[in-house]
Amino acid sequence: MAGCTSETVHNIFQSMEYGPAACSSTATAQAWLDHHSRTLGLFIDGKFVLPADRRSRCFVDSKGGTVCSTACAAEDDVSQCAASAVKGHKAWGDLSCYQRAKVLLGSASALGRHGPCVAELCELCEASCPPSSLVRLLQYYSSWAQLRDTLIANWTPLGEVDARFRVKCSPSVDQPFGFPSFVGVVAVVSSDDCSLYSLMLKVLPALAMGNSLIVVPGRSSAPPVLLLAQLFTGAGLPAGALNVLTGSDMQLGAKVAQSANVSYVSYSGNKPDAVLLCRATAGMGVPVSVSQNVGARCPFIIFESADIDSAVDAVIEAAFKKKREVHWVLCVQESVLDSVVARLGHRMAGMKCVALQSVGDRGLVDAAVQGAQQQGATLVQSCAAPPSSAQYPPTVLCGAAPSSPFVVEPSPGPLLPLMTFRSNTEAVALGNHSPHGQAASIWTEDLTLALETAKSLSVGSVWVNSHSVSDPCLPVSGHKDGSTCTDGGQQGLYQFLRPSSSSHPPLPRSSPVSMDYSKFGTAASPPIIPEDSDPAGAPKVYLQLVGGKLCKSVSGCSIAVQSPGGGGVLAHCPDGGPKDVRNAVEAADKVQPGWMKKSPSARAQSLYSLAKGLEAKRRDLAASINVQTGLSMDKADEEVELSIARLSDWAAYCDKVQGGTPSLPQSGSALSFPEALGVVGIVLPDNSPLLSMVTLLGAAVGNGNAVVMVPSEENPLPALAFIQVLQSSDLPAGLVNIISGRRDQMTVALANHSVIKAIWYWGSAEGCQYLQHACTSPMKTLRLSCPKEDGGQDWTHASILEDMWRSAVQWKSVWIPTA
């Protein structure tokens, strides 16, 4: 430390101020920036590129000093980067699993050597992320890179994997039928307020699975990501396997996602940028997964059985740090409210004001505080607020209500709403009041109470007597309006693997169709007649199933179902609409929580019973397939037989995959387990009308979901005939709802319902584009297929089971620390 400071040990102990950072780390970070003349270019094809005519974006530290500037990429840079990524993917994908794992381990070693430089740069850019966390990510995913072929061999049904793929999986080798493959070029995009750790939680698993990347980081994480890209390339990562483009806003991420060479887009950040990205890529045939880990409202629950001192220390640490990704809401049991408030006042005394992101935020904070006081809230502040500046003291707003504006729309400042509850049930209700489902912190020394509460909260991560803990070994899915994918753990790897084309054919790349989204689903319809008109000798009139009851459509009209050869009308089926969907979702949402709480074995028995009921009605179902599709009776009976077997398969699946207890690098225990999505809307395909329906029905219901199904507009009769099987089963009324109607109109009704969590759609390219554009508020998980463009799906293939199972669940992790 000689030469770094003139302070003596005596003076340091007298002042008790923070000492300066180690000189070597500061010099290294500054030297790296100076080497680039404080102007960082784009990282393309393994080297920095700085075009002369590009705009730049300046980074200023907390004291107003200029740290560096980054170039803003243009369209030419996007094209050059995409071409580099294609070349890099071939070089990276041609390596064996062992070679890729070796490169990632080498990157971890390089990061360990240059950790002080990375830490200093992160501190300068306010992208705080300990190098140890990044090293842990690299070590974890290097092991999965080594095991990649074993992973996908387990995903593929036995007998379909050639032995040569256990050594090396190369895109240049012909892959056996049903074998999952590389995604290709993956675009990882983040918002300006996304943390470096959240971004790398996307980047590293994509690399481990053999894909090349184009990374579009946010403002604060851009310089560290550029440094990491240089370090990884120096450790042996092929040129072009990791490219970094920097810009000024989310428009760059949209341009990258629209590139024809990009096969998959993964986003991490806030909700507004996620909506912009999803709508910009609608209709282009590129899947987009979203992790909304910024701006969510998360409950911090303190029960009377908690260690109050530890809980108060933790909530102050979590809620009042300078840069936070979530907004905490403190929920305290009434019996310990006075004790908690007193300790908050004592611990907050003397705390310094927290710097706001901008001067404009001060007005929002003042307005929120004034509004809270007008509604009767009392303040607990560390000190008086300064008259006017971009700073504000840590403040607790006591006496908040769930509907208070400052709770529903949190301000950007260091404000912590405090609400009270009496019972455990009220605590869960308060915790689930938020539209977000990212995380929750529970404080109690009663382990049974903690686990029951964790199970009941609709969030992806639950921390017991802790907060903001993370590790890549645990899968996390944001529930509700949180995310559309799983990050972390083994389950988080599958988004970066492409399923076999037989189980889930990818959407074809295309240009968006010019369409008026407000008019979609209102075009000319097939011939419609009133349901009351039923003259003698008329075709059979079918009914739909809503809430366990047979009924006509609310509109009172029917659609004429034509015979396969166009020879006449086979039957009339109800013409469902938005009101029918509303009634069905209401019934499904009412029964789904109880169905989800049933044991997996109980759900399995219900599916076995459903399979037995289908076998009893096999002649009727085969006849409906024969009449509707024109298949021979032998072929129709074969489809019924496959459908019976498929329901039995799903029954067997119910209690086989139930999460686990992964090993953690730190002390403590953790649980990870799959949970139901909620209510799933399904628009059924035209081909294999019965087999496809029971496949999707079994996947959803077997995992605890309720469904609203729309039969094929072309072949609706087998699905409507299946209603008699459902009515004779022991499935709860309202769990399965079947509403017939015009596909586009029903698609709009499903997309516009806020309770529906996921939509599985087989239909037109226009319908896929509409769903990608419309299902953003709240964000819905989409599984889209366009059979006329991608050739359709092979519903007889066994690999569809594993793929559909992953689409029907979301993951939850529970952290239980120990001393």
Side-chain angles (χ1 to χ4, degrees), residues 685-767:
D686 294 331
N687 63 321
S688 304
L690 181 62
L691 179 58
S692 62
M693 183 192 67
V694 299
T695 299
L696 300 174
L697 171 67
V701 171
N703 284 291
N705 301 288
V707 294
V708 177
M709 309 183 78
V710 179
S712 159
E713 187 174 358
E714 182 180 327
N715 301 317
L717 299 189
L720 295 175
F722 186 74
I723 291 177
Q724 59 182 324
V725 179
L726 290 170
Q727 286 194 302
S728 62
S729 72
D730 61 352
L731 293 177
L735 188 69
V736 179
N737 303 270
I738 300 179
I739 307 174
S740 60
R742 291 165 287 168
R743 182 177 58 203
D744 290 348
Q745 177 178 300
M746 299 300 293
T747 299
V748 173
L750 293 173
N752 291 335
H753 204 295
S754 61
V755 173
I756 293 178
K757 169 63 178 177
I759 295 180
W760 301 344
Y761 176 85
W762 280 259
S764 63
E766 292 81 4

Side-chain angles (χ1 to χ4, degrees), residues 399-413:
S403 59
S404 300
F406 57 92
V407 176
V408 176
E409 296 291 338
S411 70

